[in-house]
Each structure stands twice: as C-alpha cells, then as structure tokens.
Amino acid sequence: MRIIVTAPATPRELFDLWAEVHLQGLPPPALVRQVHVQAQLRRFREAAPDLFQMEEVGRSVEGRPLHVVRVGGGPRHILLWSQMHGDEPTATTALLDLFEYVRRHREHPRVARLLSALTLHAVPMLNPDGAERFQRRNAQGIDINRDALALQTPEGRTLKALRDRLQPSLGFNLHNQSWRTAVGGTGRPASISLLAPPFDASRSDNPGRVLAKKVCAVIRDALEPLAPGRIGRYDDSFEVRAFGDNLVRWGTATVLIETGPWSSPEPDEPLLRLNFVALVSALEALASGAVEHADVERYESIPLNDSKGLLHLIIRGALVYGEVGDAFLADVGVAAVQAVRSREGIPSIVLAGSIEELGDLRVHGAVEVVEGTGLTAVPLPSQGVKEGDTLPLPPRSGRELRVGLPAELMLLRPVEPAGHYRVERVIRYER
Ligand SMILES: [Zn+2]
C-alpha cells in the first residue's frame, strides 16, 4: 500500500512544507552553478524517469547545455525560466524545490491534478555563463532580456525557439530585483514584486494579459499573509526589447516574479519559501481552474515598486562627528548589495555596503532600522572591538563619518567613568 501524504491546503502550510522538499546539499542560491543544476536534474530523472523528461534545447555562448525539463502531461502548457540574469539566482533553486515537491507528492490528488491539467516546461538557469561569473549579462556582455528582438544571444534564441515550438499559454519569467526596491510609499522592502507585462505602450489588455493579472492576484493573496506589506508591483512601462513584453505579443502571456530584499540576516530561506509558495499556488490555481475566479483588482491594487528608495540599514538619530565642526544628530544610511567573494578559492556570498546617506533620512525606508537616539556612531577602529567592550571615544581623527566610507561602524553609549563608552552594536558590512 502506498502512503498518500496529505497535501498542503493553505499558503502557510506550503511555506512550512518547503523545509521538507528543499533540496539538501545545494549551495546557497548565489553559489549554485550549472553543474549543480545538471547533477540535480539527472537525479530527478533517475528517481522518476516517467515523471521528468529532459531535453537539451540549446547551448550558451561558452557551450554550456541549456536543458528544458518537462513535467506533467496536461493540455495546458506552461513555460518557466529562471536566471536569465546570471546574478539573479533565487528562482533556480525554487524550481528545483518545486520539482522535488511534485516528485514526492505526485500521488496526492492536488499534485496529480496539477500533473494532469498542466505540462510544465522549465529552463532553470537560462544564463549559465552569467551565473558562473555571478553577473547580470551573458558571456557576450549582452543583457538577454534586451535581446528578444535582435536575438543575438544563443540563450535568447533558445528561449524564443522554445516558445515558438511549445506555444505555451503562460510563461513565468523569474528574476531578482535590486535590494534598493521598496514597496512604494511604505519604506518597506519589496520582497516579492509581480508584473503582468504589457505588450504595447498603451498597456492594453488581451485575454492572455488578463490571465497573467489573475495569476498575479492569486500569488499576491497567497504571499501577503506570509510577508505582510512586502509585495510590490513591478514597473509596467512597456520595454520593446524585453522577453516578457514580447512573449505577450507573440501569444504567451507572462507573469514576472521578482525576488527582492528580506529583512533578516539570512534572507535566502524565507525568499525561497516565498518563491515556492508563489509557484505552487499559481500552478494549482491554473490546474484547478480557480484562477478564472481571481479578481484582477487584487493585482491592480498592489502598490507600485519604489525602485531606488530603500537603504539596507538606517541608524536613526545618532550623534555623528563630521570632518569639520561640532558633532550633530543625523540618520546614517547604508546601501548594500549581495556579492560573491572568494577567499582561498572558496566562494561565499557577502553583503557589501557603504555609507550612502547622512542627515535627515525620514523619507527613506530600510531593510533594517536601528534606533540611534542617545548613541554615538563612529567608524570601527582598526584594532577591532566587540559588543559590550568599554572604551574611550576615539580621538578626533578616528571619529568622523562621511558618505562614501565603508559601512564599518560601532554605536557607543556613554558610561562611567566620564569619557568612556560601551559598544552597543558593531555594524560591519564587507567592502
Ligand atoms: Zn532580472
């Protein structure tokens, strides 16, 4: 007798289920390379050859094979691709987790329905050469997402040929967005942003775009309880060269999912969970037909992204010394990006940051906000300190903060004896 696992019924249960299906043994998303993806795809194929079909559909500039994975046998064809931009990795791992979910729970009625209603065609990591370098562009230096018309990249040509051959009714275009992106008007990080791209400059609707909007509405309603106030709507101005926009024109409506910042020191896991919930919820709604009843207004009313406003860290109202003049009260704003650094040949992902703003930052939001009232913010001394240490205020030449310095700071609170301070917080980003 086969044991049928109870399928999740709610986004929260899917969010929790992710821990069970997430593939162990993969590096963090930013360090996943095509060799990992291929090894994993081979494992799926060996474990369930009747469930997973693999086909090489092209080669990258540097000759890395591009595979499409086919899952399910339903009449509705769905195309999904990730990491068209090499440094936007989250959804590649999320797609692998989705496959593992389908493999493990294929007997469950909800998954069985998905597999009988839909055929998924997925290209995890469309830009393996860019992923190898953790860079946006492909090995030619071209942004593949501006190559939908010129088709001068083999990766872009592969995607176009796949679309033309499969004529899918819907595509999922999976990206990461800048860590500077806030949910417009709120100052909160846009952890996931959604878009049903337009196909002309006047942003007209057609049945495909309406379907994409409904899918976005389903995803919003699934994610919002898990990330309240952190779902944004991506800029919907028409980009004549982009794949999303052109796929709609060619007859395949697309849903753009952009993964953004998350406010915890370990953002990968919650962001993977959100991706997983988004994909499973959308596909289940497509399979069951529930998507037809989704309310387009639930998409239209998602607040627009504010793509530049978000800082990574703000210290509010600390005492600061500038290069001249008296100490003053200021907010200190740190901007940060994820980067891959290699130490002794071993890569790791770091947050590289610098002081980008100083002064009244009340209009800015941040991934993390630190209350600085009563504290003095000064650069970290070269000899190193730890939280809880007591020390005198550094000499004048060691106190000054200014825009452009590395984000390596300590927050000091005055203690006895006079002139001494306790280190309340050490803030250290990579350079
Ligand atoms: Zn992108």
Side-chain angles (χ1 to χ4, degrees):
M1 193 183 91
R2 302 182 85 154
I3 294 168
I4 296 180
V5 181
T6 306
T10 66
R12 169 59 64 183
E13 284 167 328
L14 277 175
F15 191 81
D16 294 338
L17 179 78
W18 172 87
E20 183 201 312
V21 300
H22 174 58
L23 292 164
Q24 305 300 314
L26 277 180
L31 298 179
V32 169
R33 300 289 177 257
Q34 196 226 23
V35 28
H36 303 112
V37 174
Q38 287 207 296
Q40 192 53 53
L41 294 182
R42 275 196 301 275
R43 265 178 235 129
F44 285 132
R45 181 100 178 95
E46 282 158 19
D50 60 321
L51 188 60
F52 295 97
Q53 270 88 56
M54 235 82 78
E55 185 193 347
E56 183 180 321
V57 284
R59 293 252 164 172
S60 70
V61 175
E62 293 182 322
R64 294 187 171 88
L66 303 171
H67 283 100
V68 64
V69 184
R70 190 168 307 112
V71 191
R76 186 172 223 168
H77 291 259
I78 310 284
L79 179 62
L80 309 96
W81 65 97
S82 70
Q83 217 165 345
M84 161 186 272
H85 293 138
D87 57 355
E88 300 181 10
T90 307
T92 297
T93 299
L95 283 175
L96 297 177
D97 292 341
L98 170 70
F99 297 152
E100 178 66 1
Y101 165 72
V102 167
R103 186 185 75 77
R104 286 211 202 179
H105 298 285
R106 61 188 297 186
E107 305 288 351
H108 191 279
R110 293 164 69 106
V111 178
R113 182 176 59 196
L114 194 156
L115 294 172
S116 65
L118 310 179
T119 303
L120 309 182
H121 310 263
V123 183
M125 196 180 279
L126 184 67
N127 180 5
D129 300 347
E132 207 65 34
R133 301 163 169 83
F134 203 62
Q135 71 177 26
R136 178 181 179 86
R137 293 162 183 264
N138 79 345
Q140 295 159 292
I142 293 179
D143 181 340
I144 298 168
N145 208 23
R146 299 292 177 263
D147 191 41
L149 298 180
L151 293 173
Q152 291 304 297
T153 63
E155 299 89 353
R157 284 195 293 274
T158 298
L159 182 60
K160 172 75 161 73
L162 204 53
R163 197 229 69 91
D164 291 349
R165 191 180 99 195
L166 302 171
Q167 306 276 324
S169 59
L170 194 67
F172 285 83
N173 185 7
L174 306 171
H175 291 250
N176 288 74
Q177 62 188 357
S178 160
W179 278 36
R180 307 301 305 271
T181 314
V183 175
T186 71
R188 279 194 288 268
S191 298
I192 296 284
S193 293
L194 302 168
L195 176 70
F199 57 90
D200 61 19
S202 58
R203 303 171 201 183
S204 323
D205 273 336
N206 64 9
R209 187 164 186 234
V210 171
L211 173 67
K213 287 181 175 182
K214 288 181 170 182
V215 172
C216 289
V218 167
I219 296 174
R220 177 203 188 167
D221 287 339
L223 297 189
E224 213 148 57
L226 305 169
R230 285 160 190 239
I231 311 301
R233 191 154 51 91
Y234 200 80
D235 170 23
D236 74 346
S237 47
F238 178 63
E239 165 51 69
V240 68
R241 303 164 299 167
F243 266 96
D245 309 55
N246 279 291
L247 259 82
V248 192
R249 216 167 46 81
W250 298 329
T252 296
T254 58
V255 170
L256 174 74
I257 302 179
E258 293 270 0
T259 300
W262 182 264
S263 41
S264 74
E266 302 288 340
D268 286 337
E269 182 179 316
L271 292 172
L272 279 171
R273 286 178 192 260
L274 292 181
N275 268 257
F276 177 73
V277 175
L279 290 172
V280 174
S281 303
L283 295 173
E284 285 195 350
L286 284 160
S288 70
V291 70
E292 297 305 334
H293 309 295
D295 182 359
V296 167
E297 171 58 22
R298 291 293 296 155
Y299 166 72
E300 310 272 11
S301 61
I302 302 173
L304 272 173
N305 275 357
D306 166 6
S307 59
K308 295 185 194 73
L310 195 76
L311 291 159
H312 198 263
L313 180 124
I314 293 178
I315 304 163
R316 297 267 187 220
L319 190 70
V320 168
Y321 291 86
E323 288 182 317
V324 293
D326 297 331
F328 54 94
L329 291 176
D331 304 330
V332 181
V334 170
V337 292
Q338 270 191 310
V340 175
R341 296 275 188 273
S342 210
R343 286 205 182 84
E344 292 163 6
I346 301 165
S348 67
I349 306 156
V350 300
L351 267 179
S354 61
I355 299 176
E356 187 178 280
E357 288 286 355
L358 199 60
D360 183 350
L361 305 184
R362 75 184 71 206
V363 301
H364 289 266
V367 174
E368 185 187 358
V369 176
V370 176
E371 185 49 60
T373 306
L375 303 176
T376 303
V378 299
L380 272 180
S382 53
Q383 69 267 30
V385 293
K386 57 183 189 307
E387 287 165 11
D389 285 357
T390 299
L391 47 140
L393 193 66
R396 179 80 212 193
S397 63
R399 294 177 201 172
E400 316 95 314
L401 279 193
R402 59 181 161 76
V403 165
L405 284 183
E408 297 170 355
L409 306 167
M410 55 182 178
L411 296 177
L412 303 177
R413 185 182 299 283
V415 291
E416 297 295 326
H420 281 70
Y421 292 80
R422 186 174 67 240
V423 180
E424 292 281 298
R425 170 94 189 250
V426 169
I427 294 164
R428 189 200 298 272
Y429 287 73
E430 298 282 328
R431 296 191 179 197

